[in-house]
Amino acid sequence: MASLISYETFEEIAVLKLKRKIRFEDNPDQHRSISAPINESQFLVAGPGSGKTTVMVLKILKFIFVDEVPTSSIVATTFTRKAAAELRSRILSWGDQIRQVLLNDQRFKDIHPHLRLIDFNQIITGTLDSISQDILKLHRAPGTAPPVVIQDFVTNALMLNVGLFRGDKHHNEDLRDYLITLRGGKFGFNTNEMARQLLEIKERVYYDQVDWEELRRVKENQHPGFEIAYQAINDYLYELESRSLYDFAMLEAEFLDQLKQGKLEKFLQGLKLILVDEYQDSNLLQEQIYFQLAKAAINNGGSMTVVGDDDQSLYRFRGATVDLFTNFQERYKTQIKHENTSPYKPELIYLSQNYRSTAEIVNFCNQFINLDQEFQTARVKDKPAIIPERSQPVTEFPILGMFREDVETLSEDLANFIMQVVCGEGYKIENYKIKVNPQEGSATDLSILISSPQERAFNKKKLPYHLRKNLKIPIFNPRGQNLEEAWETKVLCGLMLNCIDPQCKIQDSIEKMPYTAKKNFIYWRKTAEEYIESNPEPSSPVSLPSFVEAWQERKPLGRRNWKKVVPLLDLAYKLVTWIPTMQNDVEGLVYLEAIARTIAETALFSNYAGELIFNKDDPEHECHSITDAYWNIFVPLATGAIKVDEGLLETLPDNRINIMSIHQSKGLEFPLVIVDVGSDFRTNHPKNAFKRFPEEGGKSSIMEEEIRICSPLGLPKRSGRHSAFDDLTRHYFVAFSRAQDVLLLVGLNNYADIPNVATGWTRNGNWPWNGLDNLIMI
């Protein structure tokens, strides 16, 4: 195959222009991966901070500049939209920089015309969901509609309306008992949780490629509630199919079906390279898609590269199967063949050099991940330790600990520490001074990681709540409270309800409305009424009380006639003009976006498409449109079916202290990371054991044992308890490895009496970090 430039030229530009140390003498593993021939498939086990995005991007650009692979022949997927955007941005930036170097060098004038024609935008990048949707749309049969996908945050609403409320299945005692058994208890169980459980079963059926009818046959005489669950899920699927809608699992399944059936042959004929990031969080359905793409790429003379780290697999609770990663070489060998050749294994390469963290932090992470000997059997075999490779001079701060008698004291002292390092002269300890971004005092250089960012749990005030109260710097934690409980939600939704149904006549006429919804409607309306009373004066040409009154009486306001059709979204955005925090506050904007998306998305499957119909001659029509809005928009919001989606939190504000879940922090890094390892654990109580030292497998294990009996995966090989310990170990390894310069562990000072994976306890009850003497206490 012809080359535009030699690999040596490509490497020189990458080193000198892009400042990437990819020479063999600097990083032999990165060099080996990037310089590989086009037909070499690779299995890259990439530790935290090892430059995996650099490797992926330079592999792609090497294929283009050295191997002269057409840009449209390359597919690169990653796990999140944010990571996909970063990957694409870096491809475009670095690709253009390399091109400009070559265009400015007359030694390469013969290839200048070709260089100008390279279109990096033709590289297919994105999440698997977005790529599936785009390819199905582009290569659909003539006369067929493109796939329309509903977002995750409204699937619960749809399951409520067509899966549970149809036939009053949410009142069925057999179904309730079956779902309570699956979730491991009835504490906190309600209608919304029923919908979540049903959706999880449905997703597992898709993700684990379960034979649905065979599972029904197997479960037929085991529990009568399964049959009701089966009917509810089928009602949900039928509703989507009848409207030509897909959720993400259905979209991926449709993509796989069309790949297998040869309907995407034109796309596959041009495919040469498939690169998959974060492979450790793939499920069986996704693996089968990747292998279908890989078969085509390999038969076209190309290859497949997967990148990931089993120690950072966090999404088992969403159906991810880490064994697909740890056993990737063998699974590849059994499922992929070259034409007329024998199967072979992809090349295993460990990316172990860590460019993110100090040696102190890297060594701490290495110690933590190797504490539990049983966990080693769940890792990629013979996995090497992470190697610190930060090149610039750095201060080697010790690993710090802050543990106090109670969460209130912990919050006060932690708030003082944060104020000193962000706004003050810095925090002094021994011969060190910790100061975050002294030039700007930016809060984005610091992040607080916690298993759950909830500020209250069953009336108990948690660490994030106290930090919001004690910190003088505002915090950013929109997931700290449920969407339905946020003040902005109460005001906006209460105002909308008071506008469209002021006397609650339509609300009261609706039979079998969930109790939680009724209760929250009362709170919303009351909050809205109090807000109206506190805002009597107009902040615009029309006052809020006048606007609401005009809506209630259906009077024209600034126009001749009252509109007969009003989108509920229009009403929402008009009301927002009187709610400053939903215009100017970053958390308020997140809540507004969540509500607006709900209204817009539910319009896809509601009878009135999110519109209100007003006709004096046909009051019944008006009643039906408002009833439809109740069921499809307000009930899901009020029952907690709508959550603040991670996709709404992709940009972190630079003037706030960020509190985020450990899951949300995946792929991020910060100079100073504070990890909560135990502020919730006041006693060694069995109820909180699963979050720190599991006694059993938990919900994920119960679901796997229930569903995978009819899956090609078969039942899990590790016990539920071992899997739960594995998950916790990975969970905190991810948290600790986010830190670049300073890592601070915080919790209560009873850590010697409460077994906890995060503080170094192993599943056999040993405590290698006895007393946490490896931390410098502050």
Side-chain angles (χ1 to χ4, degrees):
M1 180 179 291
S3 298
L4 289 177
I5 59 175
S6 67
Y7 177 76
E8 290 71 23
T9 299
F10 176 83
E11 182 177 85
E12 182 180 11
I13 297 172
V15 172
L16 298 180
K17 178 65 177 178
L18 303 180
K19 309 300 182 185
R20 302 294 113 179
K21 293 186 176 182
I22 62 170
R23 290 195 176 104
F24 179 82
E25 56 268 27
D26 292 321
N27 193 320
D29 295 320
Q30 284 194 4
H31 173 86
R32 182 179 163 204
S33 177
I34 295 166
S35 64
I38 186 175
N39 63 348
E40 180 181 287
S41 292
Q42 295 182 342
F43 175 36
L44 305 184
V45 180
S50 60
K52 62 173 183 159
T53 304
T54 290
V55 172
M56 286 188 69
V57 172
L58 290 180
K59 274 184 75 71
I60 290 170
L61 295 176
K62 179 262 183 184
F63 290 143
I64 295 168
F65 286 105
V66 177
D67 300 311
E68 208 170 346
V69 174
T71 52
S72 59
S73 298
I74 303 172
V75 173
T77 79
T78 190
F79 194 66
T80 66
R81 287 175 292 181
K82 182 176 182 179
E86 167 63 20
L87 179 66
R88 185 170 192 81
S89 173
R90 205 178 295 190
I91 290 171
L92 296 175
S93 173
W94 288 4
D96 191 59
Q97 288 183 61
I98 294 172
R99 174 165 51 191
Q100 291 305 318
V101 169
L102 296 171
L103 288 173
N104 292 331
D105 193 330
Q106 287 303 305
R107 290 178 299 166
F108 302 101
K109 63 181 179 180
D110 291 345
I111 63 170
H112 285 181
H114 190 116
L115 290 171
R116 293 188 179 97
L117 293 176
I118 295 176
D119 184 0
F120 298 109
N121 283 298
Q122 289 192 25
I123 299 170
I124 301 171
T125 60
T127 63
L128 182 58
D129 296 323
S130 67
I131 289 173
S132 300
Q133 187 174 10
D134 290 345
I135 292 173
L136 289 174
K137 178 181 179 180
L138 186 63
H139 295 275
R140 69 186 187 276
T144 59
V148 178
V149 183
I150 60 171
Q151 301 297 312
D152 279 341
F153 56 86
V154 296
T155 53
N156 241 34
L158 187 55
M159 178 59 80
L160 282 171
N161 283 294
V162 302
L164 283 172
F165 295 150
R166 182 177 293 170
D168 295 332
K169 294 185 187 70
H170 58 302
H171 292 307
N172 185 282
E173 289 301 321
D174 287 335
L175 176 63
R176 294 176 66 86
D177 182 71
Y178 175 68
L179 296 179
I180 287 171
T181 301
L182 275 188
R183 73 192 299 268
K186 64 180 180 180
F187 183 72
F189 186 74
N190 54 28
T191 305
N192 176 47
E193 280 299 307
M194 293 179 75
R196 286 187 192 285
Q197 286 289 115
L198 289 169
L199 281 172
E200 186 176 352
I201 295 171
K202 187 274 305 177
E203 288 176 353
R204 288 282 186 158
V205 167
Y206 276 87
Y207 292 154
D208 293 344
Q209 297 286 274
V210 171
D211 186 327
W212 190 217
E213 294 303 323
E214 176 64 14
L215 184 64
R216 182 191 189 190
R217 187 191 66 77
V218 169
K219 298 294 179 184
E220 187 174 14
N221 298 316
Q222 293 185 10
H223 196 298
F226 178 85
E227 180 62 27
I228 311 301
Y230 174 89
Q231 293 171 8
I233 291 168
N234 280 356
D235 286 344
Y236 167 88
L237 295 174
Y238 174 80
E239 186 70 21
L240 285 181
E241 290 168 1
S242 67
R243 297 173 183 267
S244 299
L245 299 175
Y246 296 82
D247 63 20
F248 288 127
M250 294 170 66
L251 177 73
E252 291 176 4
E254 177 66 18
F255 188 40
L256 178 60
D257 286 345
Q258 293 203 24
L259 287 170
K260 287 182 173 180
Q261 294 166 13
K263 295 181 178 179
L264 300 173
E265 195 62 34
K266 184 178 179 181
F267 162 69
L268 294 176
Q269 284 174 355
L271 186 60
K272 202 112 181 184
L273 297 156
I274 169 75
L275 298 94
V276 185
D277 191 16
E278 301 290 356
Y279 196 83
Q280 77 278 353
D281 285 316
S282 297
N283 55 55
L284 182 61
L285 169 60
Q286 293 166 341
E287 180 203 61
Q288 294 305 302
I289 292 173
Y290 294 138
F291 282 164
Q292 288 292 321
L293 298 177
K295 288 174 185 177
I298 290 168
N299 286 334
N300 294 334
S303 61
M304 175 189 196
T305 294
V306 302
V307 189
D309 182 10
D310 50 304
D311 291 338
Q312 299 184 69
S313 178
L314 296 183
Y315 289 92
R316 175 168 164 254
F317 70 98
R318 288 187 184 173
T321 304
V322 71
D323 294 348
L324 303 181
F325 181 82
T326 55
N327 298 324
F328 173 73
Q329 287 182 294
E330 288 302 319
R331 295 184 68 82
Y332 177 102
K333 180 179 176 180
T334 58
Q335 297 194 48
I336 295 182
K337 297 181 180 180
H338 282 275
E339 284 188 355
N340 304 318
T341 63
S342 300
Y344 73 104
K345 289 184 180 180
E347 204 61 33
L348 170 60
I349 300 175
Y350 295 106
L351 301 180
S352 303
Q353 292 177 256
N354 181 295
Y355 298 96
R356 171 188 298 159
S357 307
T358 63
E360 284 280 348
I361 293 170
V362 168
N363 293 335
F364 180 83
C365 291
N366 278 329
Q367 292 168 14
F368 177 77
I369 205 68
N370 284 287
L371 284 175
D372 193 327
Q373 289 306 303
E374 177 59 36
F375 178 66
Q376 308 313 306
T377 64
R379 304 176 74 198
V380 170
K381 189 177 180 181
D382 300 325
K383 191 173 186 178
I386 317 165
I387 304 168
E389 285 290 344
R390 285 261 300 255
S391 57
Q392 68 271 32
V394 294
T395 302
E396 291 287 348
F397 294 103
I399 309 302
L400 305 177
M402 178 185 288
F403 295 84
R404 298 294 186 266
E405 185 69 28
D406 51 63
V407 69
E408 293 84 3
T409 305
L410 174 63
S411 171
E412 291 173 4
D413 290 352
L414 185 56
N416 289 333
F417 170 83
I418 291 171
M419 290 302 298
Q420 288 183 56
V421 300
V422 176
C423 301
E425 296 298 318
Y427 186 91
K428 293 182 179 180
I429 177 170
E430 297 183 346
N431 298 322
Y432 307 98
K433 184 168 81 169
I434 301 170
K435 175 65 181 166
V436 170
N437 201 349
Q439 286 77 28
E440 301 176 11
S442 172
T444 54
D445 281 355
L446 179 155
S447 187
I448 301 169
L449 308 185
I450 193 165
S451 290
S452 169
Q454 282 282 307
E455 297 182 15
R456 291 174 180 262
F458 306 106
N459 296 321
K460 184 177 74 172
K461 298 172 182 176
K462 304 177 68 177
L463 181 61
Y465 171 89
H466 293 291
L467 286 174
R468 187 184 289 275
K469 176 182 175 183
N470 292 327
L471 271 170
K472 295 179 181 178
I473 308 171
I475 71 170
F476 180 66
N477 184 29
R479 301 176 85 181
Q481 55 188 327
N482 294 331
L483 179 62
E484 69 274 14
E485 297 172 351
W487 178 85
E488 289 84 356
T489 301
K490 292 178 182 178
V491 171
L492 178 58
C493 290
L495 288 172
M496 285 193 284
L497 290 177
N498 285 339
C499 283
I500 67 175
D501 186 22
Q503 303 301 321
C504 302
K505 291 181 180 178
I506 297 175
Q507 176 184 319
D508 293 341
S509 70
I510 300 174
E511 296 182 359
K512 299 181 179 179
M513 182 178 287
Y515 169 76
T516 304
K518 291 181 180 179
K519 181 180 69 174
N520 279 326
F521 290 161
I522 293 173
Y523 292 150
W524 289 358
R525 290 176 184 272
K526 182 179 179 182
T527 304
E529 288 163 3
E530 291 172 350
Y531 187 70
I532 291 174
E533 291 175 2
S534 66
N535 288 272
E537 298 299 324
S539 56
S540 62
V542 179
S543 69
L544 177 59
S546 300
F547 180 85
V548 173
E549 182 182 350
W551 255 87
Q552 291 174 341
E553 298 179 10
R554 307 298 191 256
K555 290 180 178 178
L557 188 64
R559 57 177 178 262
R560 294 180 180 178
N561 299 306
W562 182 263
K563 281 188 177 180
K564 292 186 177 181
V565 178
V566 180
L568 186 62
L569 201 54
D570 287 0
L571 172 61
Y573 279 125
K574 184 61 180 177
L575 289 168
V576 164
T577 61
W578 286 286
I579 310 175
T581 58
M582 296 193 94
Q583 303 172 60
N584 307 318
D585 180 80
V586 285
E587 288 190 343
L589 288 169
V590 170
Y591 299 137
L592 172 60
E593 181 66 13
I595 295 169
R597 283 193 187 187
T598 301
I599 297 172
E601 288 285 334
T602 51
L604 294 171
F605 57 82
S606 68
N607 293 327
Y608 287 86
E611 294 181 332
L612 306 174
I613 311 299
F614 300 108
N615 190 335
K616 292 181 179 179
D617 299 327
D618 188 7
E620 187 174 345
H621 210 181
E622 175 179 337
C623 179
H624 288 330
S625 70
I626 295 174
T627 301
D628 187 82
Y630 267 113
W631 278 121
N632 289 302
I633 297 168
F634 293 110
V635 167
L637 282 167
T639 55
I642 309 300
K643 301 294 183 183
V644 175
D645 182 66
E646 287 185 11
L648 298 173
L649 310 176
E650 292 180 355
T651 302
L652 300 176
D654 60 5
N655 59 348
R656 299 216 175 186
I657 298 295
N658 293 296
I659 298 179
M660 64 179 71
S661 70
I662 293 172
H663 286 88
Q664 188 190 343
S665 75
K666 181 75 171 64
L668 303 177
E669 57 187 36
F670 305 91
L672 169 56
V673 170
I674 299 167
V675 181
D676 182 0
V677 296
S679 70
D680 282 342
F681 308 139
R682 292 178 172 85
T683 62
N684 187 13
H685 197 283
K687 283 189 176 181
N688 62 40
F690 187 76
K691 298 178 181 178
R692 53 177 177 79
F693 200 80
E695 298 175 355
E696 54 190 21
K699 291 189 288 186
S700 294
S701 292
I702 295 172
M703 184 66 74
E704 287 170 351
E705 292 170 2
E706 178 75 6
I707 297 298
R708 280 174 50 173
I709 192 172
C710 294
S711 162
L713 289 170
L715 293 175
K717 293 181 174 57
R718 290 178 74 77
S719 71
R721 182 172 182 267
H722 279 322
S723 294
F725 266 100
D726 296 344
D727 289 343
L728 272 181
T729 302
R730 297 180 181 115
H731 188 73
Y732 285 103
F733 177 76
V734 167
F736 299 153
S737 60
R738 299 309 94 195
Q740 294 172 299
D741 300 303
V742 181
L743 175 62
L744 168 63
L745 279 58
V746 303
L748 304 184
N749 59 11
N750 55 5
Y751 51 82
D753 303 318
I754 300 181
N756 183 353
V757 168
T759 53
W761 291 74
T762 63
R763 70 192 74 193
N764 60 7
N766 291 334
W767 193 22
W769 287 355
N770 194 319
L772 293 185
D773 294 335
N774 55 333
L775 307 184
I776 300 297
M777 295 297 179
I778 62 174

